[in-house]
Amino acid sequence: MMPKHCFLGFLISVFLTGVAGTQPAHESLKPQRVQFQSRNFHNILQWKPGRSLTGNSSVYFVQYKIMFSCSMKSSHQKPSGCWQHTSCNFPGCRTWAKYGQRQWKNKEDCWGTQELFCDLTSETSDIQEPYYGRVRAASAGSYSEWSMTPRFTPWWETKIDPPVMNITQVNGSLLVILHAPNLPYRYQKEKNISIEDYYELVYRVFIINNSLEKEQKVYEGVHRMVEIEALIPHSSYCVVAEIYQPMLDRRSQRSEERCVEIP
């Protein structure tokens, strides 16, 4: 027969083991690193599986919400969605405020998805407003808590791709034509707009003399057509370009090199 003190120790061991084994499953299911990735206003919500999840054994549910940015402005006419906050210091002037938040909305295309991403481009198309996204996971009948993104404002955070270049030789010179990155298709359906409608863009063009292994910046400005002159005959050159955004002090990656032989 087992001594009383040994039996009591056995019960305590079983109890502790049971407690450890019944920790809430939702904590280990909770999606990790939930964040927006944005390029040229293509806004994709991405996440990693929870600590206990492997393979495709789980499904995910996505919601999003817009937060009003609510600036204060002086106007005689009440802006849409705003309320009168206070009066200005001179007669007839009013200051309006707009703030608050909307309810979480389900993203139907990503409701019960097995993917680790969700395209929220259409839902975040007002690029100067701040948004949040959140994701929860379900597996074997258990649900995680929601995991939320940091605040995301497309105008501030989208990354701009490098320009696309077309190069033509003209009488020993190179004519470089630059194209700004394409916007998502939904923008093109509304009207013929470019990313230049949202930012001041500065184009930088560099030329590399392959014989001398020397790089030189030959242009910086807002024009998208650049002529590169004074090239050495029978030489090989490569051209590369990037976009600079002065307001954000940010530049794109460089374009792919385009190389030519000067006759």
Side-chain angles (χ1 to χ4, degrees):
M1 178 179 296
M2 183 182 294
K4 287 185 178 181
H5 67 277
C6 293
F7 182 72
L8 180 60
F10 171 76
L11 289 179
I12 293 174
S13 175
V14 170
F15 174 74
L16 291 177
T17 302
V19 169
T22 57
Q23 290 292 326
H26 58 75
E27 284 300 322
S28 60
L29 291 177
K30 189 174 181 181
Q32 307 293 309
R33 297 173 61 184
V34 181
Q35 58 188 343
F36 280 96
Q37 296 291 334
S38 179
R39 300 192 71 84
N40 309 321
F41 301 130
H42 287 84
N43 304 324
I44 309 297
L45 185 66
Q46 297 181 343
W47 59 91
K48 299 292 184 182
R51 297 187 302 274
S52 67
L53 295 178
T54 57
N56 295 326
S57 62
S58 59
V59 294
Y60 300 93
F61 303 88
V62 174
Q63 293 183 330
Y64 63 94
K65 177 168 62 175
I66 183 173
M67 302 290 291
F68 292 121
S69 55
C70 312
S71 59
M72 305 272 289
K73 59 174 83 174
S74 298
S75 174
H76 294 284
Q77 182 179 3
K78 180 181 177 181
S80 175
C82 296
W83 56 283
Q84 184 176 343
H85 175 67
T86 185
S87 297
C88 302
N89 294 327
F90 55 91
C93 178
R94 294 180 176 87
T95 302
W96 307 100
K98 173 184 176 184
Y99 59 86
Q101 67 183 42
R102 295 180 182 173
Q103 298 298 315
W104 289 103
K105 294 184 179 180
N106 299 341
K107 173 60 174 175
E108 299 298 335
D109 293 345
C110 304
W111 199 253
T113 181
Q114 290 186 305
E115 304 289 351
L116 297 176
F117 64 89
C118 180
D119 190 338
L120 291 177
T121 298
S122 295
E123 290 74 14
T124 55
S125 60
D126 192 342
I127 64 170
Q128 293 186 328
E129 292 291 352
Y131 298 89
Y132 289 92
R134 66 180 186 178
V135 184
R136 72 186 304 190
S139 180
S142 296
Y143 287 82
S144 74
E145 297 291 338
W146 289 101
S147 185
M148 192 171 72
T149 67
R151 175 174 170 148
F152 168 70
T153 305
W155 190 89
W156 283 103
E157 299 181 50
T158 198
K159 295 180 180 179
I160 304 301
D161 281 339
V164 177
M165 291 190 305
N166 292 327
I167 298 179
T168 305
Q169 292 192 43
V170 181
N171 298 324
S173 299
L174 295 180
L175 184 63
V176 180
I177 300 177
L178 304 164
H179 301 276
N182 291 328
L183 291 173
Y185 180 64
R186 69 164 304 278
Y187 291 82
Q188 304 299 337
K189 289 194 299 184
E190 293 177 358
K191 59 178 181 177
N192 186 22
I193 59 176
S194 164
I195 205 161
E196 293 177 313
D197 293 325
Y198 296 103
Y199 301 103
E200 175 190 355
L201 300 182
V202 173
Y203 295 94
R204 293 171 172 170
V205 180
F206 304 84
I207 190 167
I208 304 161
N209 186 324
N210 293 325
S211 301
L212 301 177
E213 296 184 352
K214 180 180 179 181
E215 178 181 287
Q216 177 184 1
K217 183 168 70 174
V218 293
Y219 178 76
E220 179 169 345
V222 299
H223 298 297
R224 293 188 288 111
M225 183 178 295
V226 180
E227 185 175 5
I228 305 176
E229 301 177 305
L231 300 177
I232 302 173
H234 313 298
S235 298
S236 171
Y237 290 91
C238 292
V239 181
V240 67
E242 67 184 21
I243 291 176
Y244 177 65
Q245 298 166 271
M247 185 174 293
L248 301 179
D249 191 22
R250 184 187 301 166
R251 65 181 184 179
S252 72
Q253 293 183 339
R254 288 190 168 189
S255 65
E256 294 185 8
E257 290 184 357
R258 299 288 303 276
C259 299
V260 295
E261 295 282 343
I262 303 300

